[in-house]
Amino acid sequence: MTLRIDESTRQVREFVCGCCDTAAERTWADIRTDDATAAVYFASCYHHDGVHEVWIDAILGSWGRDDFDDHVTFGCRVGPVAGSPGPAATLVNGGEVAGDSPIFGRKLSREEGLTHPRLAEFWQMVDLVLERDALVRRHLVGVGA
């Protein structure tokens, strides 16, 4: 499956982190296969105590209709971890800070996500965001896209 970020849907917003009152940025966009939207991602870039980390949620499912029954939301944290020379991605509860909109479908816990049949797709999408979203790259490693 070939994935790409649909730059025409990409948005960026600044906000204040609720836990530490520091400036943060969030970017989101559609992730498309060749001919359809496969997911929507949200990547929130934080500076917690000087640590650069990104929390990514991706909603996988069918798009372009009002039925969200097949939507599932995965989440991960990307940032420093013990024993790793660079940032690493760790699965977390999906959509934990998101509202209760039906668009998120089933928000998967970390445990549910680890055994979900679409986990490999989610990691492909995380790789895409880390490689192609300029804000995320700049935030984590200081490199523009």
Side-chain angles (χ1 to χ4, degrees):
M1 171 171 54
T2 302
L3 299 174
R4 67 178 173 81
I5 294 173
D6 183 349
E7 290 295 334
S8 72
T9 65
R10 189 167 178 273
Q11 297 185 47
V12 176
R13 296 285 185 270
E14 291 184 13
F15 65 100
V16 175
C17 176
C19 73
C20 64
D21 288 329
T22 59
E25 292 180 289
R26 179 172 296 128
T27 179
W28 64 93
D30 294 355
I31 295 177
R32 295 187 56 86
T33 59
D34 296 327
D35 60 351
T37 299
V40 172
Y41 76 90
F42 299 87
S44 300
C45 302
Y46 297 99
H47 306 274
H48 290 134
D49 298 320
V51 173
H52 292 253
E53 60 185 2
V54 178
W55 293 73
I56 300 171
D57 288 315
I59 308 167
L60 287 67
S62 301
W63 297 90
R65 55 192 186 134
D66 292 332
D67 180 7
F68 308 119
D69 288 347
D70 70 342
H71 285 200
V72 292
T73 300
F74 287 88
C76 75
R77 175 199 175 266
V78 182
V81 295
S84 177
T90 306
L91 197 66
V92 298
N93 296 338
E96 196 158 61
V97 298
D100 289 331
S101 170
I103 199 168
F104 290 95
R106 180 170 171 77
K107 294 179 183 178
L108 301 174
S109 70
R110 173 181 159 73
E111 293 74 24
E112 292 168 323
L114 287 170
T115 60
H116 197 279
R118 298 190 75 180
L119 179 61
E121 281 179 78
F122 171 67
W123 287 126
Q124 279 185 293
M125 292 174 187
V126 169
D127 288 345
L128 176 72
V129 171
L130 294 174
E131 292 171 4
R132 300 288 181 200
D133 187 296
L135 174 68
V136 171
R137 287 182 52 141
R138 190 169 47 252
H139 182 75
L140 285 174
V141 294
V143 176

